[in-house]
C-alpha cells in the first residue's frame, strides 16, 4: 500500500482532461470486461482538487492469476487502441495498479477492495457502475 500511495503522489497530474467517452476510458473498461473483471466502478475525480487523476477505475478478480490477466489485457488493449503505455504499474497478488496519469486502474481481490475501501475514501466522486459482460 505504501508503494502505491507514494507512486501516485510523486507524479504530475496531466493538464488534459478526459471523460467517460474518451477512447482511453472505454478501452480500459472493455479490457476489464473481456477478462471477466467483476464489480467494475469508475470514480469521477475531476471536481476534487486533491485528486491525483481524472478517474479511478476499480474492479475485482477472483485470483491473483485473474488480476494479472486483467492488468495485462488493459495494458495490451490500451497500447493497441490508444498507442499509450502506462506511466507506472504496481503489481501484486491482492491488488494491482495500472496508472495512465489521467486514469488509474485498480484491480483487487474482493477482501482487499473492501479493506482499502477507495470508494469510501473518495465519497465526493461521482460513482458509476459498469456491468460485466456475460
Amino acid at each position: 500500500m505504501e508503494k502505491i500511495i507514494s507512486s501516485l503522489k510523486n507524479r504530475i497530474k496531466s493538464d488534459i482532461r478526459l471523460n467517460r467517452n474518451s477512447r482511453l476510458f472505454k478501452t480500459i473498461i472493455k479490457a476489464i470486461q473481456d477478462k471477466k473483471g467483476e464489480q467494475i466502478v469508475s470514480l469521477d475525480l475531476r471536481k476534487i482538487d486533491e485528486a491525483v487523476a481524472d478517474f479511478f477505475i476499480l474492479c475485482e478478480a477472483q485470483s491473483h492469476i485473474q488480476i494479472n490477466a486483467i492488468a495485462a489485457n488493459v495494458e495490451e488493449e490500451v497500447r493497441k487502441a490508444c498507442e499509450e503505455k502506462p506511466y507506472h504499474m504496481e503489481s501484486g497478488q491482492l491488488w494491482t495498479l495500472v496508472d495512465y496519469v489521467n486514469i488509474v486502474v485498480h484491480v483487487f481481490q474482493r477482501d482487499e477492495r473492501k479493506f482499502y475501501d477507495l470508494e469510501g475514501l473518495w465519497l465526493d466522486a461521482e460513482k458509476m457502475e459498469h456491468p460485466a459482460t456475460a
Side-chain angles (χ1 to χ4, degrees):
M1 175 68 168
E2 307 301 324
K3 288 181 0 183
I4 291 172
I5 290 171
S6 66
S7 72
L8 289 174
K9 285 183 179 178
N10 292 332
R11 68 200 212 2
I12 299 171
K13 188 174 175 180
S14 173
D15 290 334
I16 299 169
R17 302 304 290 231
L18 298 180
N19 59 50
R20 287 187 171 107
N21 289 318
S22 72
R23 180 183 300 171
L24 177 60
F25 186 94
K26 288 181 173 184
T27 301
I28 291 169
I29 295 295
K30 174 105 174 56
I32 293 169
Q33 291 169 332
D34 287 348
K35 293 299 177 182
K36 308 298 184 208
E38 300 173 352
Q39 305 299 316
I40 306 166
V41 169
S42 62
L43 301 177
D44 185 341
L45 306 170
R46 294 175 293 175
K47 294 180 181 173
I48 302 172
D49 292 335
E50 303 82 31
V52 296
D54 290 342
F55 292 95
F56 278 176
I57 297 176
L58 296 78
C59 71
E60 292 177 11
Q62 296 294 318
S63 67
H64 71 277
I65 293 168
Q66 188 184 15
I67 287 176
N68 292 339
I70 291 169
N73 199 48
V74 166
E75 184 178 8
E76 179 180 341
E77 293 302 317
V78 167
R79 185 180 36 77
K80 287 193 298 191
C82 306
E83 298 181 355
E84 283 193 48
K85 293 181 181 179
Y87 169 79
H88 179 77
M89 283 188 75
E90 197 68 49
S91 298
Q93 292 196 10
L94 302 174
W95 179 6
T96 288
L97 174 140
V98 186
D99 182 353
Y100 287 100
V101 181
N102 291 57
I103 299 175
V104 180
V105 182
H106 300 268
V107 186
F108 293 97
Q109 285 199 32
R110 181 170 287 121
D111 290 342
E112 202 75 0
R113 182 174 181 175
K114 286 179 187 175
F115 180 79
Y116 286 105
D117 188 25
L118 293 185
E119 289 107 321
L121 290 174
W122 295 98
L123 276 176
D124 293 346
E126 176 191 319
K127 180 178 174 180
M128 179 182 279
E129 296 180 12
H130 303 272
T133 55

